[in-house]
Amino acid sequence: VQLQASGGGLVQAGGSLRLSCAASGPTFGNYGMAWFRQGPGKERELVAAITANGASTDFADSVKGRFTISRDNGKNTVYLQLNTLKPEDTAVYYCASQWAPFNFIPREYAYWGQGTQVTVSS
């Protein structure tokens, strides 16, 4: 599985971005997907996750109500919509995937993309 993240950039506080993660392979619909981030001097943290069928999602408390995760299994792509951005959202955002055909949210992820930088100015 190869993952390619895109959509990062520089945005002012209060603004929005949409990140995309395109996955290779014919069985994308059997993988749970997630977005992680790592800010300057911080540990990597889970931001959002979605089950293989897209029916269930989970979010870090710090982004609930501001970020949404979705997927299009026909396009092998998962999205992260970032709204009402804050300077503390500045980080490199990574997408990750894990084989999870029974529609649960995995605790660990085997495959990782290269990351896309999100910078939020105050």
Side-chain angles (χ1 to χ4, degrees):
V1 177
Q2 291 186 327
L3 304 174
Q4 181 73 39
S6 62
L10 174 64
V11 64
Q12 289 187 334
S16 298
L17 284 173
R18 189 175 81 155
L19 307 184
S20 299
C21 177
S24 64
T27 59
F28 178 74
N30 287 323
Y31 284 79
M33 301 296 296
W35 288 93
F36 289 77
R37 69 183 180 186
Q38 187 165 18
K42 298 180 181 179
E43 294 186 353
R44 186 175 63 193
E45 63 173 342
L46 175 67
V47 176
I50 188 167
T51 53
N53 66 353
S56 297
T57 59
D58 194 21
F59 296 91
D61 288 343
S62 59
V63 306
K64 282 181 180 176
R66 299 189 297 122
F67 293 7
T68 57
I69 187 171
S70 61
R71 64 189 297 159
D72 184 337
N73 286 351
K75 295 182 178 180
N76 281 20
T77 302
V78 63
Y79 305 97
L80 185 68
Q81 180 68 41
L82 296 70
N83 296 327
T84 319
L85 281 161
K86 303 176 182 180
E88 51 263 44
D89 295 318
T90 294
V92 178
Y93 284 71
Y94 300 90
C95 60
S97 68
Q98 175 62 42
W99 177 259
F102 299 109
N103 295 313
F104 62 92
I105 291 179
R107 292 186 176 183
E108 296 183 350
Y109 291 82
Y111 304 99
W112 294 81
Q114 86 288 4
T116 185
Q117 176 72 46
V118 172
T119 303
V120 185
S121 63
S122 58

